[in-house]
Structures are given as structure tokens and as C-alpha cells.
Amino acid sequence: MYRITSRHRLAVAAVVVGTALAATACNASADKDKSPAAGGTGGGDSAKNVVLVTPEPIGVNDFLKLAATGAQNAAKKAGGSATVLESKDTSAIQQNVEAAVRQKPAVVVAVGFEFADVLAQQAEANPKQQFLFVDSCTSKPYPNITCATFREHEGTFLAGAEAGLLTKSGKVGAVVALDSPQIRRFSDPFGAGAKQTNPASAFTQLFVGGQKPFNDPARASEQTASLKAKDVDQIMGAASAAGNLGVFNAAKAAGVQAYGVDVNQCSAAPGTVVDNVIKRTDIAVEKGVEQISGGKPGGVTSYGLKEGGITLTGMEPGVETSQCLIAQHPDVLKTVLGLRDQIVAGSVTVADPATAK
């Protein structure tokens, strides 16, 4: 549904993903995509292949890198190959989806809300082609579109739990791009998680808003400074990749600790970012393709802590080298891991702002 990183287009060159994936030109022709050099993994039965279409160049975008890894793993399990078509603009998205369909793969995978209209069109025009729509869904259901969404609020709750244990002022907050139920998944549960581990904590959130809520680091920086003035010392940044840079910079200047989303953002501000709510697009892609190949296409599958689709950087292998401050607090991580297990078991329920009435 809401991909924080997609709002900040990356001006980077296309890169090869793994040893079996390569990027094609944005207007790639299916007839030219059969060789490794043109973006395919070479030969194979197209009925077992997977084609991933991204909304922007992968570059250093870890969110999309994970999706490419998932496509590669899914294709390998099926005995096929994986191809990635990277889009550079809106028109390329349309062209790349059409090029993917012409290849007649087992599954065409698209990541991000940008694909809603084109997937609806292609699903109607190509009823025998299966599509996997990751991190969003079409407004109308189609039997050949399988949607994979994320329960971001579960991970946000755990990040809030960390904040509740780490706050010295007893005040935590969030800088949010827009005041909408979907985006509040990255903020409301943060306050609830802090309350879970620190009942005396108080939560305040501010919204960027304006003409460019997803690309306004200056405004995000101002909101962060406003929270600091209220003695908030733990801040969730849910203002997009661009906006979060404003949050992180202001947090660093003010001596405040911050939290990132979607991917590991700790390297963007070492010594400032505590942890990140991670969306494992690789898991969603791999399991989604398996679901379709197993004869159960269509509908919406939600990925959260239980399915491994949502996690924290601190709960993943390699936290020691992640540059995240949470690595310095193993006692906090132990508590949060226990809370994670309770959520997975169903003994703790995290309210979803997107479904609240």
C-alpha cells in the first residue's frame, strides 16, 4: 500500500541484481529479453519464469533489491528464470508491464501503488496471465491479480516498544507525511508500543502536509525541532525517504534518537537512528509466486511478523554491523523479541489504524 521509499526517486544507474538478474532498458521488448545480457537469465521454459517490474531504477534502493531477490528465489525454485524490468518514469511503467506480459511468464510481479491502473488494464486484457501486486492492490479484485500487502503497524508497534524503553524524557513522537489512516500505520502504533513498555510515556505526532508532504525535508526538519522543543527524545520518521533525511538531520542536531522505515536507514545517520521497520519484499514476492504456482491465485495476502514479512533491523542477522543504535541495547532487544513472539502467538494484538472505525 504505502511505500515510503518510492516517493524519493533515485538518480542512479541500473545495476545487476545478484548473478542471475540484470536490468533491461525501460522500454524493453520481450523479443530482446531472452539473453542474460538483455535482462533475462537465459533460456528456460517461460511458463516457469518470473518477470519483476519496478517503479524506478533499483540502484541502491534496498526495498527494490529485496523484491529482485525474491523474484530470483521464486524462479529458481520453479526451475525457471527471473528478469527485472526497471522503469524510469510513468510511461516506462506501462511499457515495461506490456513487455513483461509479452514474455508470457508464470507470474508478472509489480511493486508499488504506481501499478494499480496498468495492472487492472492488463489483467482484463490478458485473463490467462497471472500478476502479483506487491505493497498495494487494485481497487477492484481480479482473479488473475494476487495482492501482497504488509501489516506495517506490527513492526511500528515494536519500534515504539523500543522507544518506550529508551526514552529518558518519557516523551516519544512521530513526524508523519500525511494525516491518513494508511500512513498512520507508521505512527499511531509507535505511541501504543511505547505505552506497552512504558505506561507513563506520552506520544505526540506532527504532520508534514503542504504541497509536497512526501518530499519536504525542510518541513520534516521543522517538525522534528518542534517535537524536541516539547522534550520528545524518540521520534519515528514516517515522512518518506526525502522527508526522513530532514528528520534525521534535525534529530542529530538536537541530540534526539530517530527510527526509520521500509529499509535500514541507520547508515543515513549513524549514531542517530535506533532501528527501522523493515518490509521484506523478498518474502512477499517469493511466497506470492509460490501461492500462484500452487493454484491459489487472486485475493489479498497480508504479511506481518508471523509470516516474516515485517521485521526490525534489530531482529535480523547482522545487527552488529547495521550502524543502528539498537545494537548497543541487547536487553531492549530481548524484551522486544519477547513482545514479537506474543504478537505472533496472538496474545498481544496491535490495532491497525487503516481498519479502525
Side-chain angles (χ1 to χ4, degrees), residues 184-206:
R184 276 180 175 265
R185 278 183 162 188
F186 293 97
S187 56
D188 290 2
F190 189 75
K195 282 282 188 183
Q196 180 76 22
T197 55
N198 186 349
S201 64
F203 174 65
T204 304
Q205 60 182 314
L206 299 176

Side-chain angles (χ1 to χ4, degrees), residues 20-21 30-36 39-53 68 70-85 99-110 128-132 285-286 288-290 292-293:
L21 294 173
D31 293 334
K32 298 178 182 178
D33 289 342
K34 295 178 182 179
S35 69
T41 52
D45 182 357
S46 65
K48 296 180 180 180
N49 294 345
V50 175
V51 179
L52 168 68
V53 186
Q72 180 180 351
N73 292 341
K76 184 176 181 181
K77 284 185 178 180
S81 60
T83 300
V84 176
L85 305 182
V101 170
R102 287 197 295 271
Q103 293 188 35
K104 298 181 180 180
V107 183
V108 172
V109 182
K128 293 185 179 180
Q129 177 63 59
Q130 292 296 330
F131 299 87
L132 175 62
V285 170
E286 186 172 347
V289 171
E290 289 179 354
I292 294 168
S293 300

